[in-house]
Amino acid sequence: MCGIVGYVGQQSAGPILLEGLQRLEYRGYDSSGIAVLDRDGALSVLKRQGKLRDLEAAIGVMPPGAAGIGHTRWATHGTPSDRNAHPHASSSGDVVVVHNGIVENYRSLKALLDAAKPERARSWQSETDTEVIPELIARELNQGRSFVEAMRACLGLLHGASAIAAFHRADPSRIYAARKGSAGGIVIGYGDGEMYLASDLPALLPHTATVYHLEDGEIAVVDSQGAVVHRVNQPPLRPVSRQVDLDPVAVARGPYRHFMLKEIHEQPRALSDTIRGRARLDPPSALADEFELSDDQLRSVERVLVIGMGTSLHAAMIGRWWIEQIAGIPADFDNASEFRFRAPVIGPSPLVVSVTQSGETIDTLGAMDHVRDRWGAPQIVITNVEGSEATRKADASILLRCGPEVGVASTKTFVGSLAALYLLACRIGRARGVLDDGELTERLEQLLTAPSLVERGLELSKRCKEIASSYTGAANFLVLGRGIEHPIAMEAALKCKEISYVHAEGYAAGEMKHGPIALLDQQFPVIALATRGPLFDKMMSAIQQVSARQAPVIAIGDEGDAELAELADHYIGVPPANDLLTPFALTPVIQLLAYHIALARGLDIDQPRNLAKTVTVE
Ligand code: G6P
């Protein structure tokens, strides 16, 4: 989703801004732009629909300037176009702004601004909500306010969450940043005689590991020597920066054709790293350290609710299953965007677990606020991003150790989230006395097989590619699973939609007869997840019903399952796993199938159209 960068220092700002934006490309965007200010106040604003290379081509010779801001836009208000791309300027051209988030009341603010000067009603340059922001700041400046005061007044008028970077044409020595709510973060990066802004750490990677994350409600004034932060009703202060650990090698694509493929192959490592030190066998313990909720608190929990969006919601569904099975406590899952606008009954004594790889998904953050405001229930977040907004809202965090995930479609953070949920189920089960030493040891030993299950699944890439080549032209897929494999069926369908642009539905196999079966014919392939678990026979019946409608069947089951292989048109055998662990065995195969279909179709796998890695708008 939208990305922000900023620079002030002695170097030429343009190339630094462009490079920063390139490092944010993975978030997904449809247009981009930069605004650069030279020391004499000459302003260049350059924007283009399309990829950054289009912007670069349009720029030609980079304008001079040692201060600037840049943006990658993911359209919310107004089509992707040159004129809707950020930066946006006030009608005077003095105030220049880039913005993440949504100004929910932009219509009334436009009307307010138009009404204030009916004699020269402004002709708005774009269809965006953002354009009111520079205009509001300019209006406040005209009333004699300082830039910080003007930004503060503007923030007070905006409804919804916003992250803003800005500058004033008259002052090339400063750039400004402000944050209201959770529209993604703003990070200030500290260089030597130069300073940076970014919505995400990867943009700062080549320059600095010393950062400050702007908090909700803060406004920062940044010049080449440092930053001063303004909070409401407090004196300005120099914030305390911290060091972050970002391995530059980890964000490079290496020998892989796509980040997604690289990240699929990094899954065994991501899993081992996430589990390391958290699943001890002698004596057995799960998540014993680094976890801020005590056993007493976990013992008093009577119900667990797991929430998330997209792939994280599918992890939540599997987490619900494990919490019920392993911890023996009522558990449920919910879609964060629906949950936050309901008045659900989540008690008594609930524990809420949010799954969000980015830690910045606005609906999940909104749901966490809902939980805090309405019930004050204890909250745990499972996330891959240290310091993300979700970690600040939660009482306790389980940090994944997957390394940066660049591909828009989540892969390694999915299996990482699964490992964290499994460990959490063990920890709750142990705290509640449901698991004795022997049972806990057994559960943890099972989890320790997960990295090798995934590793062996990756060896099936060639087979997935062969099968994918038969279905490159398919317009639809139905993916069936039962029990703990049902969420994997949904994840398989999501992957087909996300990167292969194929319509796909993930269904609980028992539900097939109640509608989807009407769609089936020779042109409608069905992927059936059918490992030899307790529901295997039921899956076999469902596959029979599919075959009877002449729909081609791609069955994914246990290695060497001749019965399944015979029934299916195509068969992929995954390593046999304990019933609770089959998600780890199946996941690489469904990811690789979607990947190879997308590859054969020649699609933009790492940055699928219309999608964003971090969804900071509702
Ligand atoms: C976007 C991403 C998905 C991700 C979802 C939830 O749609 O493209 O891959 O599953 O957001 O993101 P979260 O960061 O909350 O896990």
Side-chain angles (χ1 to χ4, degrees), residues 271-321:
L271 267 175
S272 310
D273 286 350
T274 297
I275 297 169
R276 189 178 0 95
R278 291 163 159 171
R280 297 205 191 112
L281 297 180
D282 194 18
S285 69
L287 289 175
D289 308 327
E290 61 162 323
F291 195 56
E292 299 92 331
L293 291 183
S294 68
D295 277 355
D296 278 349
Q297 282 171 295
L298 292 176
R299 252 190 299 277
S300 65
V301 167
E302 291 184 42
R303 183 164 178 258
V304 182
L305 176 67
V306 196
I307 57 175
M309 298 295 292
T311 291
S312 291
L313 175 61
H314 299 149
M317 293 170 76
I318 294 171
R320 184 277 297 258
W321 186 276

Side-chain angles (χ1 to χ4, degrees), residues 309-312 355-359 361 364 408-410 498 612-613 615:
M309 298 295 292
T311 291
S312 291
V355 185
T356 166
Q357 53 84 20
S358 64
T361 297
T364 307
V408 163
S410 296
E498 283 178 312
K613 179 88 194 146
V615 180

Side-chain angles (χ1 to χ4, degrees), residues 459-521:
E459 290 163 15
L460 298 163
S461 186
K462 197 159 159 249
R463 179 81 185 119
C464 292
K465 189 173 181 182
E466 279 163 20
I467 295 174
S469 68
S470 309
Y471 293 97
T472 309
N476 302 284
F477 281 101
L478 181 65
V479 193
L480 299 177
R482 293 209 66 152
I484 203 166
E485 295 173 10
H486 170 217
I488 298 292
M490 297 185 70
E491 176 62 8
L494 181 63
K495 284 286 159 285
C496 289
K497 286 183 261 215
E498 283 178 312
I499 60 161
S500 323
Y501 308 159
V502 184
H503 171 245
E505 296 298 331
Y507 250 81
E511 190 70 17
M512 181 187 64
K513 319 178 269 304
H514 302 287
I517 200 166
L519 298 168
L520 298 185
D521 61 20

Side-chain angles (χ1 to χ4, degrees), residues 288-505:
D289 308 327
E290 61 162 323
F291 195 56
E292 299 92 331
L293 291 183
S294 68
D295 277 355
D296 278 349
Q297 282 171 295
L298 292 176
R299 252 190 299 277
S300 65
V301 167
E302 291 184 42
R303 183 164 178 258
V304 182
L305 176 67
V306 196
I307 57 175
M309 298 295 292
T311 291
S312 291
L313 175 61
H314 299 149
M317 293 170 76
I318 294 171
R320 184 277 297 258
W321 186 276
W322 282 330
I323 291 164
E324 279 180 346
Q325 297 267 313
I326 298 175
I329 182 172
D332 212 342
F333 67 86
D334 215 329
N335 172 303
S337 67
E338 289 298 312
F339 170 82
R340 62 184 288 211
F341 295 113
R342 293 210 320 271
V345 179
I346 67 166
S349 302
L351 169 71
V352 178
V353 181
S354 297
V355 185
T356 166
Q357 53 84 20
S358 64
E360 303 285 352
T361 297
I362 196 155
D363 281 312
T364 307
L365 296 178
M368 293 178 79
D369 287 341
H370 192 45
V371 169
R372 185 198 54 220
D373 297 345
R374 201 176 161 95
W375 300 280
Q379 300 201 55
I380 296 176
V381 67
I382 294 173
T383 183
N384 196 37
V385 183
E386 189 178 357
S388 57
E389 186 62 13
T391 62
R392 299 167 209 215
K393 290 188 188 289
D395 302 293
S397 309
I398 306 175
L399 280 179
L400 308 181
R401 301 175 188 139
C402 297
E405 187 173 73
V406 175
V408 163
S410 296
T411 53
K412 61 179 176 174
T413 55
F414 176 61
V415 294
S417 300
L418 291 184
L421 285 160
Y422 188 101
L423 285 164
L424 181 62
C426 290
R427 169 79 193 264
I428 298 173
R430 181 61 163 182
R432 290 168 51 80
V434 174
L435 299 175
D436 64 21
D437 270 8
E439 286 159 336
L440 180 58
T441 305
E442 195 183 330
R443 292 296 186 209
L444 293 175
E445 279 176 347
Q446 285 160 358
L447 179 65
L448 291 169
T449 66
S452 70
L453 288 174
V454 173
E455 183 95 57
R456 288 174 60 196
L458 295 175
E459 290 163 15
L460 298 163
S461 186
K462 197 159 159 249
R463 179 81 185 119
C464 292
K465 189 173 181 182
E466 279 163 20
I467 295 174
S469 68
S470 309
Y471 293 97
T472 309
N476 302 284
F477 281 101
L478 181 65
V479 193
L480 299 177
R482 293 209 66 152
I484 203 166
E485 295 173 10
H486 170 217
I488 298 292
M490 297 185 70
E491 176 62 8
L494 181 63
K495 284 286 159 285
C496 289
K497 286 183 261 215
E498 283 178 312
I499 60 161
S500 323
Y501 308 159
V502 184
H503 171 245
E505 296 298 331

Side-chain angles (χ1 to χ4, degrees), residues 525-591:
V526 175
I527 300 173
L529 310 180
T531 63
R532 290 253 166 190
L535 295 168
F536 176 76
D537 290 342
K538 308 259 179 235
M539 271 308 297
M540 289 297 271
S541 305
I543 295 171
Q544 298 274 10
Q545 291 162 14
V546 170
S547 296
R549 273 81 196 170
Q550 273 125 43
V553 175
I554 303 161
I556 309 174
D558 286 345
E559 258 167 17
D561 192 330
E563 196 187 350
L564 181 64
E566 195 178 338
L567 194 55
D569 297 86
H570 304 277
Y571 155 76
I572 305 175
V574 298
N578 172 278
D579 292 347
L580 290 183
L581 274 286
T582 59
F584 292 107
L586 294 168
T587 293
V589 170
I590 56 111
Q591 293 167 340

